[in-house]
Short mmCIF file of all heavy atoms in Angstrom, two decimals:
data_model
loop_
_atom_site.label_atom_id
_atom_site.label_comp_id
_atom_site.label_asym_id
_atom_site.label_seq_id
_atom_site.Cartn_x
_atom_site.Cartn_y
_atom_site.Cartn_z
N PHE A 107 45.41 98.19 20.37
CA PHE A 107 45.59 99.43 19.63
C PHE A 107 46.59 100.32 20.36
O PHE A 107 46.57 100.40 21.60
CB PHE A 107 44.27 100.18 19.48
CG PHE A 107 43.21 99.44 18.72
CD1 PHE A 107 42.09 98.93 19.36
CD2 PHE A 107 43.33 99.25 17.35
CE1 PHE A 107 41.11 98.24 18.67
CE2 PHE A 107 42.35 98.55 16.64
CZ PHE A 107 41.24 98.05 17.30
N VAL A 108 47.44 100.98 19.59
CA VAL A 108 48.40 101.93 20.15
C VAL A 108 48.11 103.30 19.57
O VAL A 108 48.06 103.46 18.34
CB VAL A 108 49.85 101.52 19.84
CG1 VAL A 108 50.84 102.50 20.50
CG2 VAL A 108 50.12 100.09 20.31
N PHE A 109 47.91 104.28 20.44
CA PHE A 109 47.61 105.64 20.03
C PHE A 109 48.72 106.57 20.49
O PHE A 109 49.28 106.39 21.59
CB PHE A 109 46.27 106.10 20.63
CG PHE A 109 45.10 105.24 20.28
CD1 PHE A 109 44.76 104.14 21.08
CD2 PHE A 109 44.34 105.50 19.16
CE1 PHE A 109 43.68 103.33 20.76
CE2 PHE A 109 43.26 104.69 18.82
CZ PHE A 109 42.93 103.60 19.63
N GLY A 110 49.04 107.58 19.68
CA GLY A 110 50.08 108.52 20.06
C GLY A 110 49.92 109.85 19.35
O GLY A 110 49.66 109.89 18.14
N ALA A 111 50.09 110.92 20.07
CA ALA A 111 50.01 112.25 19.47
C ALA A 111 51.30 112.56 18.71
O ALA A 111 52.36 112.04 19.04
CB ALA A 111 49.80 113.30 20.57
N PRO A 112 51.22 113.38 17.67
CA PRO A 112 52.45 113.76 16.94
C PRO A 112 53.35 114.60 17.83
O PRO A 112 52.89 115.29 18.75
CB PRO A 112 51.91 114.57 15.76
CG PRO A 112 50.58 115.09 16.21
CD PRO A 112 50.02 114.04 17.12
N ARG A 113 54.64 114.53 17.58
CA ARG A 113 55.60 115.34 18.33
C ARG A 113 56.72 115.77 17.38
O ARG A 113 56.95 115.13 16.35
CB ARG A 113 56.17 114.58 19.53
CG ARG A 113 56.88 113.30 19.20
CD ARG A 113 57.40 112.62 20.47
NE ARG A 113 58.09 111.38 20.17
CZ ARG A 113 57.51 110.19 20.09
NH1 ARG A 113 56.20 110.10 20.26
NH2 ARG A 113 58.21 109.11 19.81
N GLU A 114 57.42 116.81 17.75
CA GLU A 114 58.49 117.32 16.91
C GLU A 114 59.64 116.32 16.84
O GLU A 114 59.98 115.67 17.82
CB GLU A 114 58.99 118.66 17.46
CG GLU A 114 57.99 119.80 17.32
CD GLU A 114 58.58 121.13 17.75
OE1 GLU A 114 59.80 121.16 18.05
OE2 GLU A 114 57.84 122.12 17.76
N SER A 115 60.23 116.22 15.64
CA SER A 115 61.37 115.34 15.44
C SER A 115 62.28 115.95 14.39
O SER A 115 61.81 116.57 13.42
CB SER A 115 60.92 113.96 14.99
OG SER A 115 62.03 113.14 14.66
N ALA A 116 63.59 115.78 14.59
CA ALA A 116 64.56 116.29 13.62
C ALA A 116 64.69 115.38 12.41
O ALA A 116 65.36 115.74 11.44
CB ALA A 116 65.92 116.45 14.30
N TYR A 117 64.04 114.22 12.46
CA TYR A 117 64.23 113.23 11.40
C TYR A 117 62.89 112.86 10.76
O TYR A 117 61.91 112.59 11.45
CB TYR A 117 64.90 111.98 11.96
CG TYR A 117 66.22 112.29 12.63
CD1 TYR A 117 66.30 112.43 14.01
CD2 TYR A 117 67.36 112.48 11.87
CE1 TYR A 117 67.49 112.74 14.63
CE2 TYR A 117 68.57 112.79 12.48
CZ TYR A 117 68.63 112.92 13.85
OH TYR A 117 69.82 113.24 14.44
N ALA A 118 62.89 112.89 9.44
CA ALA A 118 61.69 112.50 8.69
C ALA A 118 62.12 112.02 7.31
O ALA A 118 63.02 112.59 6.69
CB ALA A 118 60.73 113.68 8.56
N HIS A 119 61.52 110.95 6.85
CA HIS A 119 61.75 110.49 5.49
C HIS A 119 60.56 109.66 5.03
O HIS A 119 59.73 109.24 5.84
CB HIS A 119 63.06 109.66 5.39
CG HIS A 119 63.04 108.42 6.22
ND1 HIS A 119 63.65 108.34 7.45
CD2 HIS A 119 62.49 107.20 6.01
CE1 HIS A 119 63.49 107.14 7.96
NE2 HIS A 119 62.77 106.42 7.10
N ASP A 120 60.48 109.46 3.76
CA ASP A 120 59.44 108.62 3.16
C ASP A 120 60.14 107.76 2.11
O ASP A 120 60.20 108.11 0.94
CB ASP A 120 58.35 109.49 2.53
CG ASP A 120 57.02 108.77 2.44
OD1 ASP A 120 57.02 107.53 2.50
OD2 ASP A 120 55.98 109.44 2.31
N TYR A 121 60.71 106.66 2.56
CA TYR A 121 61.60 105.85 1.73
C TYR A 121 60.81 104.75 1.02
O TYR A 121 59.92 104.14 1.59
CB TYR A 121 62.68 105.22 2.60
CG TYR A 121 63.73 104.45 1.83
CD1 TYR A 121 64.72 105.12 1.11
CD2 TYR A 121 63.72 103.06 1.81
CE1 TYR A 121 65.68 104.42 0.41
CE2 TYR A 121 64.67 102.35 1.11
CZ TYR A 121 65.65 103.03 0.41
OH TYR A 121 66.59 102.33 -0.30
N GLY A 122 61.17 104.50 -0.21
CA GLY A 122 60.53 103.44 -0.98
C GLY A 122 59.57 103.99 -2.01
O GLY A 122 58.74 104.85 -1.72
#
Side-chain angles (χ1 to χ4, degrees):
F107 298 110
V108 183
F109 302 89
R113 59 181 180 271
E114 291 186 5
S115 174
Y117 303 98
H119 62 260
D120 205 340
Y121 185 76

